[in-house]
């Protein structure tokens, strides 16, 4: 359990602060690391994840860009291939539509097309998630979209400890890493922050291995698998189930690529039940992949058909009544467990 | 400033045009093996699409003669002439075109995806995709305080891509050492430039980004040399990016198998009469920089070099198919 094995003091950080701290520490140690994107400079990032960097490192290494995602993500690929280690921000993951070519045809393929002779050590930071009525072009998660396309590592932390360690690892990785941070976990008051994401974080630099899930709560009746904000829904559901006398295990994926199938399978082998919680769209996504990874490995370990609590296959609506109705939450997870036990 | 090439530079440009053309001629015949009488792109020793650069060699040599291996070049889906002029390892390049283990990427990339990090060359199959990486490589040099300019080659069709305008603006706003080179062969597959482009000359679009725009007419090797020399010198001196549009000629189809019915009658024959290689040979003979004997010698050596690369490729093995699973990550 990452949050309890750190030996950290009591200093708590938000994910935004943790990302900025990891970046600053890497920038101090490695002159090849630089940051570029929209509003990453004096503003410190719309979601706070580059705060303080401009003051410490200046405009050359913390570069505000024009609103030209195709150009600056393509430029990051060029700089990474030339020996730099750029960190580039796609402000909202929804904006991938204007620059996906630079992401999946360049960033994700240049290593392969060079037979491994060209490295692309870059981090693409991008915000995900809704829940604050920003409607369907600023609220998506799109985890499955990015994880589906080969050539990019993908991480999505649920708390500040993991965010710092994964950010450090992402910057040091010689492969492109998509760092997906959820807005509701970011610690920006105006986005209605999830308190459980702000946790003790060591001041010293550390890296978490990309591709390792973690069991954040142990249990034996059902495995709840999720990532980012969904982990907190699972933890609340696990508490509610405990009050009913059931014991739920919660697996925080932390990374989507590589996917830690072993940890998921080991947990389901123990509990015999699986519910996947995903704020991304229901169909063709992470939830289906997790279930398939378990079932194709060993269907006999399941005591009940697996279930998923995911975002319906609809554009994200504006009206709070509609959006909140559609989003996964702890009650829906508890309901899914009840139905599983009835069937 | 009007740059005049030295004798050595002239002969270098001529030799590399000859090398490139002969490579394309040999690829053309090898590509057709197994594809007759029925043309099937998947058949033969070189499957897939094949975009030949015949006629566009002046663009490659007139620019790359000014470059060193440390300078960066990004090229297009029609990359061979530029790769040859940039000094890409010919054996590994031809082996890659054949999909062999000894190829630049062990056969994972093929002819549209040639990467040679030793000479900072790469290319891509998507129109306008090399511009951002060129800007970024130039930024990298600036941040590292290392010398080097980046040259992004593209066709005239790329000037209508969003990536073109974003990259020119970014290079200009950051005053980066980049040269954007448009090889205007007048055709985007089957669509003529005048049917797709609101301005007759794309170099004029440079004014929108506050950078010099230069036009080179008639596929003229030494005019390209001069324009590129200016632009690259400006970039090296920290004076920012330049856009160059070169009127060149696509002597072959868009890709092999292209019927080219869209071309006006007689156009291709006219272009072939203006083939830049015999023209430049004539120019060098007239200037007495070349004579029939030295020309024959140069051509024979070039052909021998290409034949050696083809033999190397043909004699190489394929990687085991499961090697496809490797090199997704490093």
């Amino acid at each position: 359990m990452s949050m309890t094995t750190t030996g950290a003091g009591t200093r708590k950080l938000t994910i935004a602060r943790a990302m900025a701290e990891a970046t600053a520490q890497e920038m101090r140690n490695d002159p090849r690391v630089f940051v570029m994107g929209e509003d990453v400079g004096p503003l410190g990032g719309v979601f706070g994840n580059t705060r303080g960097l401009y003051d410490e490192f200046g405009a050359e290494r913390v570069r505000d860009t024009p609103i030209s995602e195709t150009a600056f993500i393509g430029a990051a690929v060029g700089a990474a291939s030339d020996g730099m280690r750029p960190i580039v921000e796609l402000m909202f993951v929804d904006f991938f539509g204007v620059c996906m070519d630079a992401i999946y045809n360049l960033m994700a393929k240049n290593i392969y097309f060079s037979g491994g002779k060209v490295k692309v050590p870059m981090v693409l930071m991008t915000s995900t998630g809704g829940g604050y009525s920003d409607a369907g072009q600023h609220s998506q998660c799109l985890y499955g979209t990015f994880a589906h396309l080969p050539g990019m590592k993908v991480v999505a932390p649920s708390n500040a400890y993991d965010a710092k360690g994964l950010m450090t690892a992402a910057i040091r990785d010689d492969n492109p890493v998509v760092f997906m941070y959820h807005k509701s976990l970011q610690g920006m008051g105006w986005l209605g922050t999830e308190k459980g994401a702000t946790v003790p974080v060591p001041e010293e630099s550390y890296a978490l291995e990309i591709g390792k899930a973690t069991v954040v709560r142990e249990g034996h009746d059902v495995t709840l698998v999720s990532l980012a904000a969904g982990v907190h829904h699972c933890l609340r559901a696990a508490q509610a189930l405990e009050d009913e006398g059931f014991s739920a295990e919660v697996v925080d994926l932390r990374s989507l690529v590589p996917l830690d199938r072993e940890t998921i399978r080991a947990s389901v082998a123990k509990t015999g039940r699986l519910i996947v919680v995903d704020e991304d769209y229901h169909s063709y996504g992470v939830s289906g992949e997790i279930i398939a990874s378990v079932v194709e490995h060993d269907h006999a370990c399941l005591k009940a058909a697996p279930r998923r609590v995911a975002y319906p296959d609809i554009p994200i609506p504006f009206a709070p009544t509609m959006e909140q109705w559609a989003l996964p939450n702890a009650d829906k997870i508890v309901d899914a467990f009840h139905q599983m036990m009835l069937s | 400033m009007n740059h005049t090439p030295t004798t050595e530079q002239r002969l270098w440009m001529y030799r590399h045009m000859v090398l490139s053309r002969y490579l394309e001629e040999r690829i053309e015949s090898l590509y057709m093996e197994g594809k007759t009488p029925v043309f099937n792109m998947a058949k033969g020793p070189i499957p897939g699409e094949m975009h030949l650069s015949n006629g566009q060699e002046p663009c490659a040599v007139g620019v790359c003669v000014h470059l060193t291996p440390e300078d960066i070049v990004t090229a297009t889906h029609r990359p061979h002439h530029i790769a040859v002029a940039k000094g890409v390892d010919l054996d590994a390049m031809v082996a890659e075109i054949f999909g062999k283990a000894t190829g630049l990427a062990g056969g994972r990339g093929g002819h549209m995806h040639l990467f040679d990090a030793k000479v900072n060359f790469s290319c891509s199959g998507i129109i306008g995709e090399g511009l951002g990486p060129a800007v970024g490589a130039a930024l990298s040099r600036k941040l590292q305080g290392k010398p080097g300019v980046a040259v992004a080659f593209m066709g005239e069709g790329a000037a209508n891509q969003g990536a073109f305008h974003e990259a020119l603006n970014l290079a200009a706003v950051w005053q980066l050492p980049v040269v954007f080179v448009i090889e205007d062969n007048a055709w985007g597959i089957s669509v003529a430039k005048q049917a797709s482009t609101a301005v007759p000359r794309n170099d004029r679009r440079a004014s929108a980004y506050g950078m010099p725009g230069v036009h080179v007419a008639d596929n003229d090797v030494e005019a390209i040399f001069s324009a590129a020399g200016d632009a690259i010198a400006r970039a090296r001196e920290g004076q920012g990016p330049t856009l160059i549009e070169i009127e060149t000629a696509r002597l072959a189809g868009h890709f092999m198998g292209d019927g080219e019915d869209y071309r006006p009658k007689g156009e291709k024959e006219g272009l072939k009469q203006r083939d830049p290689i015999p023209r430049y040979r004539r120019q060098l003979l007239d200037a007495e920089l070349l004579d029939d004997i030295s020309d024959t010698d140069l051509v024979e050596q070039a052909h021998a070099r290409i034949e050696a690369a083809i033999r190397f490729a043909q004699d190489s093995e394929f990687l085991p198919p499961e090697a496809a699973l490797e090199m997704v990550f490093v």
Side-chain angles (χ1 to χ4, degrees):
Chain A
M1 286 182 55
S2 60
M3 281 172 276
T4 57
T5 56
T6 63
T10 54
R11 184 194 68 151
K12 287 186 174 181
L13 287 187
T14 63
I15 287 184
R17 294 279 189 188
M19 289 172 71
E21 185 169 278
T23 304
Q25 288 173 337
E26 290 307 295
M27 289 180 78
R28 281 174 210 136
N29 289 334
D30 188 343
R32 299 172 299 175
V33 180
F34 72 104
V35 183
M36 61 179 166
E38 291 153 12
D39 306 291
V40 299
L43 185 70
V46 168
F47 303 112
N49 44 321
T50 58
R51 195 182 298 177
L53 300 179
Y54 181 87
D55 288 341
E56 181 172 352
F57 300 103
E60 280 293 290
R61 292 182 72 194
V62 185
R63 308 179 78 89
D64 274 332
T65 62
I67 304 169
S68 303
E69 290 87 352
T70 293
F72 71 73
I73 294 173
V77 175
S81 307
D82 194 54
M84 298 296 283
R85 304 187 86 85
I87 302 167
V88 61
E89 163 118 322
L90 177 63
M91 187 188 291
F92 288 77
V93 74
D94 314 68
F95 300 171
F96 86 107
V98 300
C99 57
M100 198 57 175
D101 185 61
I103 296 170
Y104 92 113
N105 268 326
L106 269 177
M107 185 182 88
K109 291 180 183 161
N110 277 6
I111 289 174
Y112 194 74
F113 281 157
S114 69
K117 296 186 190 99
V118 171
K119 294 175 184 168
V120 186
M122 62 180 279
V123 183
L124 179 66
M125 304 187 288
T126 189
S127 75
T128 65
Y132 61 102
S133 287
D134 218 359
Q137 295 175 341
H138 293 76
S139 301
Q140 299 170 92
C141 285
L142 302 180
Y143 300 130
T145 304
F146 284 80
H148 178 66
L149 297 164
M152 307 175 261
K153 295 187 178 180
V154 180
V155 300
S158 69
N159 64 73
Y161 178 85
D162 290 354
K164 181 173 174 183
L166 289 170
M167 191 70 196
T168 303
I171 296 167
R172 293 177 186 173
D173 204 304
D174 281 339
N175 299 286
V177 180
V178 182
F179 190 104
M180 306 183 89
Y181 58 90
H182 195 289
K183 277 166 268 170
S184 80
L185 307 182
Q186 200 60 1
M188 311 295 282
W190 52 278
L191 283 170
T193 292
E194 165 64 57
K195 285 193 175 58
T198 302
V199 298
V201 176
E203 289 188 29
E204 68 271 17
S205 179
Y206 61 94
L208 286 183
E209 187 180 347
I210 294 173
K212 291 288 177 206
T214 182
V215 176
V216 291
R217 180 183 172 117
E218 292 191 4
H220 50 76
D221 292 324
V222 61
T223 297
L224 308 178
V225 177
S226 194
L227 69 159
V231 172
H232 300 281
H233 302 318
C234 290
L235 288 169
R236 271 191 288 275
Q239 187 57 51
L241 290 172
E242 183 179 301
D243 296 343
E244 298 177 11
F246 296 106
S247 154
E249 180 145 304
V250 179
V251 176
D252 181 349
L253 292 173
R254 299 198 291 197
S255 298
L256 290 174
V257 180
L259 179 62
D260 184 358
R261 293 183 169 89
E262 293 310 310
T263 295
I264 301 163
R265 286 167 179 161
S267 176
V268 179
K270 181 172 76 171
T271 65
R273 296 182 185 88
L274 171 63
I275 298 173
V276 186
V277 179
D278 185 13
E279 281 194 26
D280 194 7
Y281 302 118
H282 180 99
S283 300
Y284 306 101
V286 171
S287 58
E289 182 60 34
I290 300 296
I291 291 169
S293 295
V294 170
V295 172
E296 70 187 357
H297 177 69
D298 177 16
H299 67 91
C301 72
L302 290 168
K303 297 172 190 160
R307 289 182 177 265
R308 43 184 157 172
V309 177
Y311 204 89
D313 295 325
I314 54 170
I316 295 172
F318 162 69
T321 44
M322 287 194 275
E323 188 190 14
Q324 295 303 323
W325 175 82
L327 278 168
N329 58 36
D331 290 344
K332 291 183 183 180
I333 301 166
V334 171
D335 282 350
F337 179 74
H338 289 161
Q339 287 168 30
M340 182 180 262
M341 297 305 278
L342 286 173
S343 60
Chain B
M1 202 168 74
N2 190 23
H3 296 269
T4 306
T6 63
T7 298
E8 190 187 358
Q9 286 172 320
R10 286 184 160 120
L11 291 172
W12 185 95
M13 292 192 287
Y14 176 58
R15 186 167 63 248
H16 282 79
M17 290 204 293
V18 170
L19 265 175
S20 176
R21 178 66 60 88
Y22 189 66
L23 171 65
E24 299 297 54
E25 286 171 358
R26 292 292 287 121
I27 287 175
E28 186 172 10
S29 80
L30 290 159
Y31 181 82
M32 289 312 292
E33 285 181 13
K35 294 189 180 72
T36 53
V38 179
F39 184 80
N40 179 340
M41 199 173 269
K43 302 287 187 190
I46 306 176
E49 285 186 61
M50 179 52 63
H51 311 84
L52 299 176
S53 63
N54 308 36
Q56 299 186 193
E57 298 89 349
C59 309
V61 299
V63 173
C64 292
V65 68
H66 299 286
L67 303 178
T68 70
E70 289 71 39
D71 295 315
I72 299 110
V73 163
T74 64
T76 69
H77 60 290
R78 196 181 307 287
H80 299 167
H81 56 317
I82 304 166
V84 167
K86 187 64 175 69
V88 170
D89 181 326
L90 272 175
D91 291 342
M93 170 177 158
V94 177
E96 185 62 29
I97 292 168
F98 277 75
K100 296 295 183 74
T102 52
L104 290 165
R108 295 178 183 86
H111 119 97
M112 282 188 277
H113 309 289
L114 303 169
F115 287 74
D116 189 346
K118 288 193 193 113
V119 295
N120 289 294
F121 177 88
S122 66
C123 62
S124 136
I126 308 282
I127 301 304
E129 199 180 63
L131 280 70
V135 171
L139 172 64
S140 163
R141 297 304 168 87
K142 191 180 173 192
L143 290 173
Q144 295 185 70
K146 281 189 187 168
V149 301
V151 179
F153 283 87
M154 74 206 86
E156 84 290 344
N160 298 322
Q161 276 276 25
F164 170 86
H165 298 276
E166 289 193 15
L168 262 67
N169 181 64
L170 190 61
V173 81
W174 287 348
Q175 283 297 290
L176 295 172
V178 192
V179 179
F180 299 99
V181 177
I182 300 175
E183 298 177 87
D184 171 17
N185 66 21
W187 290 98
I189 307 186
S190 69
V191 178
K193 184 186 185 187
Q194 68 266 23
S196 66
T197 308
V199 289
R201 282 172 37 185
N202 285 308
D203 54 289
R204 292 181 180 160
R205 290 176 154 175
S207 65
Y209 305 105
M211 71 174 77
V214 184
H215 183 252
V216 181
D218 196 28
N219 216 9
D220 182 322
V221 175
E222 298 203 0
I224 296 166
F225 174 92
S226 179
D230 270 347
I232 290 165
R234 287 186 71 250
R236 290 202 201 285
E237 288 158 15
Q239 293 175 48
T242 303
L243 173 65
I244 301 173
E245 182 165 68
I246 302 165
E247 277 176 17
T248 189
R250 196 185 81 198
L251 298 181
H254 164 67
F255 53 25
M256 287 200 64
D258 179 356
E260 299 184 77
D261 295 337
Y262 48 82
R263 296 237 206 207
K265 214 174 162 106
E267 182 190 82
K268 209 165 163 178
E269 294 67 29
L271 291 175
K272 282 188 172 156
Q273 282 173 12
R274 301 283 298 155
D275 187 329
I277 296 180
R279 273 169 65 195
Y280 200 52
R281 175 184 295 126
R282 187 75 258 155
Q283 212 175 312
L284 297 183
L285 289 169
D286 289 350
E288 297 184 352
L289 300 174
L290 201 63
D291 58 33
D292 286 339
I293 295 168
S294 59
D295 181 39
T296 303
D297 199 36
L298 181 152
V299 169
E300 279 178 1
Q301 282 184 28
H303 290 192
R305 179 66 194 91
I306 296 301
E307 292 298 344
I310 290 168
R311 267 197 311 281
F312 173 80
Q314 287 172 326
D315 292 346
S316 296
E317 303 294 328
F318 290 105
L319 282 177
E322 60 273 21
L325 299 173
E326 297 165 3
M327 301 300 172
V328 179
F329 294 113
V330 286

